[in-house]
Amino acid sequence: MMKSIAVQALSCNVFRSSPGTYLKGHVFHTSSVPGLQQCTAACLNHYQCKSSNFGFVNRTCELNNVDKFDSPSDLVPRPGFSYSGWKTKQPSRSCAEIKQRNPSNTVSGYYTVFVRGQQRQVYCDMENFGGGWSLVVSINASNNDHLQTIENNCKDSFLCVPHSKSNVEGRKMSDEDIIALASTEGTFRFDRFGSTPGTSFYQLPGGPNHFSSSCYASNCARMIMSHHYPYKWESNCKGISVGYKIFHHVFDNHDKDECGFRWESSQFITRGPGRFLYGYKAYGNTGIYFKEEGSLFVR
């Protein structure tokens, strides 16, 4: 997959290489790869990468978190290396990037973004909770279609999850796409509709790349949560730098008794807006606990 994405991008003159040049001071990951094309593909498929440097002698691939447009003075001559990046200023990679580039934008709607090397249309909430939120999952009350890691029931190949607050259809982007769109801040926003509406926020102390739509037991990432915006992060006795452990809920507002007793968040209630579960497949519940609709946004 990495190779095909790179070829597609290069053939469209989107991502171009510049032999003899090097972007200094912005490397966040280094590896060894067979060639320039594989290095380019690695960048296109990493949610943080905006450009790359490839060293021909040692086959060194360096991924940069900025490109030549972000820091033009750092693009310098260097024999034996080739810088690869966007031919022109690249499309934004998330709704959060669009908001960062134009903080005064408060127009919510569908925007074209570049997700893991491919153009996609994403609904962006630019108005609520600071704006810049990418819609990645819509949750239907009668099924568990959102509890899987793969892309599911997308509207079409370009737009996966349309925006809706009623008669919500279960649609989901892949976990890889969700992680990529969550790369700016790493926050997951969970909206619940129906008779007890509400919103809660979650972050994974280990990073958004640990997110899994179908976590169970040891596969569930540690998390912190907030019932408020601006955020007021909460956790159990482990603290917000570690987060609390959950068990077969993707997002839950209480821990797995790891402190010797069950910790519950400040607004936790057994059923209602204080208890947000992305899913509870183990006991056959559908939608959001209990049989509710909602949406997952990331930033």
Side-chain angles (χ1 to χ4, degrees), residues 84-109:
S84 296
W86 308 102
K87 182 181 179 182
T88 58
K89 185 63 180 178
Q90 75 269 31
S92 297
R93 298 192 180 188
S94 67
C95 301
E97 279 196 9
I98 295 172
K99 186 70 172 180
Q100 282 183 332
R101 292 177 180 180
N102 184 10
S104 63
N105 180 5
T106 58
V107 180
S108 297

Side-chain angles (χ1 to χ4, degrees), residues 139-175:
I139 302 174
N140 180 273
S142 62
N143 61 56
N144 282 317
D145 287 349
H146 54 288
L147 297 180
Q148 53 186 311
T149 59
I150 61 174
E151 188 176 278
N152 184 62
N153 197 28
C154 287
K155 182 178 183 296
D156 53 51
S157 59
F158 196 51
L159 170 63
C160 186
V161 186
H163 182 247
S164 176
K165 286 189 174 181
S166 61
N167 299 318
V168 177
E169 294 187 70
R171 303 185 190 273
K172 179 187 177 298
M173 300 183 75
S174 70
D175 278 6

Side-chain angles (χ1 to χ4, degrees), residues 32-280:
S32 180
V33 298
L36 175 62
Q37 182 169 303
Q38 287 79 10
C39 185
T40 300
C43 182
L44 288 171
N45 284 279
H46 195 291
Y47 69 96
Q48 281 184 289
C49 187
K50 291 188 176 181
S51 66
S52 62
N53 305 312
F54 179 70
F56 290 95
V57 175
N58 296 322
R59 307 293 176 184
T60 302
C61 179
E62 298 176 343
L63 304 185
N64 304 312
N65 56 16
V66 304
D67 60 24
K68 65 181 180 181
F69 301 99
D70 296 320
S71 189
S73 62
D74 290 332
L75 187 66
V76 297
R78 185 171 179 180
F81 274 80
S82 182
Y83 165 84
S84 296
W86 308 102
K87 182 181 179 182
T88 58
K89 185 63 180 178
Q90 75 269 31
S92 297
R93 298 192 180 188
S94 67
C95 301
E97 279 196 9
I98 295 172
K99 186 70 172 180
Q100 282 183 332
R101 292 177 180 180
N102 184 10
S104 63
N105 180 5
T106 58
V107 180
S108 297
Y110 297 98
Y111 291 77
T112 299
V113 299
F114 213 65
V115 185
R116 296 196 306 129
Q118 294 183 341
Q119 283 193 342
R120 302 292 296 271
Q121 199 171 43
V122 177
Y123 180 83
C124 298
D125 180 355
M126 297 299 193
E127 305 166 75
N128 300 299
F129 309 109
W133 294 97
S134 302
L135 176 62
V136 293
V137 181
S138 59
I139 302 174
N140 180 273
S142 62
N143 61 56
N144 282 317
D145 287 349
H146 54 288
L147 297 180
Q148 53 186 311
T149 59
I150 61 174
E151 188 176 278
N152 184 62
N153 197 28
C154 287
K155 182 178 183 296
D156 53 51
S157 59
F158 196 51
L159 170 63
C160 186
V161 186
H163 182 247
S164 176
K165 286 189 174 181
S166 61
N167 299 318
V168 177
E169 294 187 70
R171 303 185 190 273
K172 179 187 177 298
M173 300 183 75
S174 70
D175 278 6
E176 290 85 355
D177 286 348
I178 292 172
I179 290 166
L181 289 165
S183 63
T184 298
E185 187 179 88
T187 304
F188 297 80
R189 168 186 147 195
F190 198 10
D191 291 356
R192 172 174 170 158
F193 311 143
S195 58
T196 53
T199 297
S200 58
F201 306 89
Y202 302 85
Q203 285 190 354
L204 311 182
N209 54 305
H210 289 91
F211 168 75
S212 173
S213 294
S214 57
C215 82
Y216 187 84
S218 61
N219 294 326
C220 294
R222 305 188 72 89
M223 65 176 57
I224 58 177
M225 69 82 50
S226 174
H227 290 287
H228 306 276
Y229 185 87
Y231 310 124
K232 296 180 181 179
W233 296 115
E234 301 181 28
S235 182
N236 61 5
C237 64
K238 302 295 183 178
I240 62 174
S241 62
V242 176
Y244 57 93
K245 183 66 177 175
I246 59 175
F247 187 72
H248 67 234
H249 316 321
V250 180
F251 295 117
D252 195 358
N253 293 347
H254 70 79
D255 73 348
K256 185 54 181 171
D257 306 326
E258 63 178 346
C259 294
F261 56 91
R262 191 174 90 162
W263 171 84
E264 297 176 350
S265 65
S266 61
Q267 296 182 25
F268 179 88
I269 54 178
T270 301
R271 292 179 65 173
R275 180 180 179 123
F276 283 79
L277 299 181
Y278 184 92
Y280 198 61

